[in-house]
Amino acid sequence: MKTLRSANKRRSRFAKPSISVMLPVLLMLFGLAGIAQAEGKASEGAVYVVPVQQTVQSGLASFLDRALTEAEEAKASLVVLDIDTPGGRLDTAEQIGKRIRESAVPTLAFVSGKAASAGAYIALNAGDIAMGPGTVIGAAMIVDGNGDPVDNPKLVSFWSEEMNAAAQLNGRDPSIAVGMVDPNRVVEMKAIGETKEKGQIISLSADKAAKVGYADHIAKTAEEAIAWKGLSDRTVVHFEPSLAERLAAFVTGAGISTLLLILGIAGVAIEFLVPGFGAPGILGLISFGLYFFGQSIAGFAGMESLAVFILGIVLLILEAFVPSFGVLGLLGIAGVVAGISMGAYDTGNALRSLGIAGLVAIVIVGVVAYVFRKRGIWNKFILKEQLTTDKGFVPQQPRERWIGREGVTASMLRPSGLAEIGGERLDVITTGEFVENGKPVRVVSVDGTRIVVKEIRD
């Protein structure tokens, strides 16, 4: 069976990058979006094998639309959706299901791992379903970002009807599809002698799925499934994600987004507080750029989230130079948080990641600021010039040394004036009495900068 790679030359209209204004270096990354590694040209009537092996989100919808469009233009005989996904967004699953139903090319869902939740819905919308040994389909209960069940009767009812309709497309028992969603529904599966009780969710192994009509064939590989459809003599095109889509899938993966936020916050803060390095600032901008690049390709972040984020950064910079009593700083922090959360798949997860990233970045910035404390921006606000004798400055001598010494007034004291004491002319003052010029005086006390004298009488 001949195989070749797809010539993925078109940019997905759903995956248009949106952060080229952030950093010129990232222009190269955006140029990668939609560019493929062509290894040949598919002949008419070929079979396209398309991987559905990631979380169901907007990026996957974009990728599948591109794959189905290319298969349609190539007049392919079949599109095989190689499914192994834990599920994802319901709205995206609906979008994908609609695109599969409207495809001009016949479709086959080959479950090579698990078709859970939204993945089960995608499989049910295909023309046929083949499953590999040991694979599973089902468990389509609605959950939130933390994996906890969503107890919303309207939402459960809606999604149950969506699964019901998808099952009926190819004459499958709709009650089983509903039992994959609604834990309160009782479903009898006579073909396997089992009953789903309340509080349970249906998940079917490949063997059970075949018995209840949710798998049309058991195949170890996609090639076996293609042979079952009688197309083993056709060229097989393995449609692969573009380099940009792979990069986006990586940077939006577990832990990577948080790491990028840590590097972004720490890098920009270090460059601002301890200027002169350059590298931390560039690393921070690239990290933020990759974060928004990945979220953009995945279909989460739009231009509005990037604009809000950049506005927040600008306000934080202005806070350092424009007195605003913290108003600009608070608005800047709000803008950064809003931009990052708006550009993420789940706002709650984004805020948690941002919180973790902020704490770690504070520690990193604190360590760097301490090590390079002599280069910090705060040094611009500290007067370091010293008035030393080697620069011509004479330090002030303590005035207590004049106490008890005698001299002569050099002017009339009314009650202040001049006196010559110890060969120096000093500003002196009496306790209130007037003293004529040329009279002998004695220093009786020193009060701060004042030298108090008293006339010496015979």
Side-chain angles (χ1 to χ4, degrees), residues 227-280:
W228 167 66
K229 295 294 292 182
L231 299 172
S232 59
D233 60 331
R234 305 299 174 91
T235 299
V236 176
V237 179
H238 291 275
F239 194 90
E240 301 290 347
S242 67
L243 181 57
E245 289 166 333
R246 294 187 187 201
L247 177 60
F250 172 74
V251 300
T252 56
I256 301 300
S257 293
T258 303
L259 177 61
L260 290 175
L261 291 176
I262 292 173
L263 294 177
I265 296 172
V268 172
I270 290 172
E271 189 61 38
F272 179 72
L273 295 175
V274 191
F277 291 102

Side-chain angles (χ1 to χ4, degrees), residues 17-81:
S18 62
I19 62 166
S20 58
V21 298
M22 188 171 190
L23 192 65
V25 176
L26 294 175
L27 289 174
M28 179 181 67
L29 296 177
F30 292 124
L32 297 175
I35 298 176
Q37 301 173 352
E39 297 180 8
K41 185 177 180 181
S43 61
E44 187 172 317
V47 176
Y48 275 63
V49 178
V50 183
V52 185
Q53 300 178 349
Q54 63 185 81
T55 301
V56 178
Q57 32 79 2
S58 299
L60 179 61
S62 168
F63 170 65
L64 291 179
D65 175 72
R66 188 161 61 83
L68 290 169
T69 299
E70 182 171 314
E72 291 168 343
E73 293 177 352
K75 294 181 171 49
S77 298
L78 180 70
V79 172
V80 179
L81 303 174

Side-chain angles (χ1 to χ4, degrees), residues 23 72 93 120 164 222 256 331 346 379:
L23 192 65
E72 291 168 343
N164 185 320
I256 301 300
L331 291 176
D346 182 84
N379 287 308

Side-chain angles (χ1 to χ4, degrees), residues 435-451:
V435 179
E436 296 288 339
N437 183 17
K439 297 294 183 178
V441 292
R442 177 184 299 111
V443 177
V444 295
S445 66
V446 174
D447 182 11
T449 60
R450 301 192 311 166
I451 300 177

Side-chain angles (χ1 to χ4, degrees), residues 11-365:
R11 183 190 303 270
S12 168
R13 64 177 178 272
F14 297 105
K16 185 177 180 181
S18 62
I19 62 166
S20 58
V21 298
M22 188 171 190
L23 192 65
V25 176
L26 294 175
L27 289 174
M28 179 181 67
L29 296 177
F30 292 124
L32 297 175
I35 298 176
Q37 301 173 352
E39 297 180 8
K41 185 177 180 181
S43 61
E44 187 172 317
V47 176
Y48 275 63
V49 178
V50 183
V52 185
Q53 300 178 349
Q54 63 185 81
T55 301
V56 178
Q57 32 79 2
S58 299
L60 179 61
S62 168
F63 170 65
L64 291 179
D65 175 72
R66 188 161 61 83
L68 290 169
T69 299
E70 182 171 314
E72 291 168 343
E73 293 177 352
K75 294 181 171 49
S77 298
L78 180 70
V79 172
V80 179
L81 303 174
D82 189 346
I83 300 176
D84 183 10
T85 176
R89 296 178 63 103
L90 302 187
D91 55 351
T92 302
E94 288 183 83
Q95 179 184 346
I96 293 173
K98 183 175 184 293
R99 182 65 180 90
I100 292 173
R101 293 193 301 271
E102 295 176 349
S103 172
V105 178
T107 54
L108 165 67
F110 172 62
V111 182
S112 58
K114 56 180 176 292
S117 189
Y121 178 78
I122 292 173
L124 288 174
N125 278 279
D128 295 290
I129 299 177
M131 296 180 66
T135 60
V136 178
I137 185 172
M141 182 171 61
I142 304 174
V143 297
D144 59 20
N146 297 321
D148 299 322
V150 174
D151 187 16
N152 185 323
K154 290 184 179 180
L155 191 57
V156 172
S157 176
F158 171 78
W159 188 237
S160 296
E161 287 304 312
E162 288 287 303
M163 290 287 288
N164 185 320
Q168 292 186 49
L169 284 175
N170 296 290
R172 308 186 197 281
D173 183 354
S175 65
I176 295 178
V178 174
M180 293 178 177
V181 178
D182 190 352
N184 296 318
R185 190 71 62 92
V186 176
V187 179
E188 291 188 11
M189 296 177 285
K190 295 180 180 179
I192 58 176
E194 294 182 8
T195 299
K196 184 198 86 69
E197 304 293 346
K198 284 188 176 182
Q200 298 177 338
I201 290 294
I202 294 178
S203 289
L204 300 172
S205 66
D207 291 336
K208 290 182 179 180
K211 291 178 181 179
V212 300
Y214 270 63
D216 304 304
H217 184 69
I218 303 297
K220 293 182 179 179
T221 62
E223 286 71 20
E224 285 189 14
I226 294 170
W228 167 66
K229 295 294 292 182
L231 299 172
S232 59
D233 60 331
R234 305 299 174 91
T235 299
V236 176
V237 179
H238 291 275
F239 194 90
E240 301 290 347
S242 67
L243 181 57
E245 289 166 333
R246 294 187 187 201
L247 177 60
F250 172 74
V251 300
T252 56
I256 301 300
S257 293
T258 303
L259 177 61
L260 290 175
L261 291 176
I262 292 173
L263 294 177
I265 296 172
V268 172
I270 290 172
E271 189 61 38
F272 179 72
L273 295 175
V274 191
F277 291 102
I282 294 174
L283 177 62
L285 289 177
I286 291 178
S287 298
F288 278 133
L290 284 173
Y291 175 85
F292 280 98
F293 170 78
Q295 304 296 333
S296 174
I297 294 297
F300 305 143
M303 195 65 185
E304 65 283 352
S305 62
L306 178 61
V308 172
F309 173 81
I310 293 178
L311 177 61
I313 293 292
V314 171
L315 291 175
L316 287 174
I317 294 175
L318 288 177
E319 174 63 28
F321 301 99
V322 178
S324 68
F325 303 100
V327 174
L328 291 177
L330 291 176
L331 291 176
I333 293 174
V336 170
V337 173
I340 291 175
S341 59
M342 288 169 59
Y345 164 63
D346 182 84
T347 301
N349 288 335
L351 292 177
R352 281 191 292 273
S353 296
L354 186 59
I356 295 172
L359 292 176
V360 175
I362 288 174
V363 174
I364 295 174
V365 172

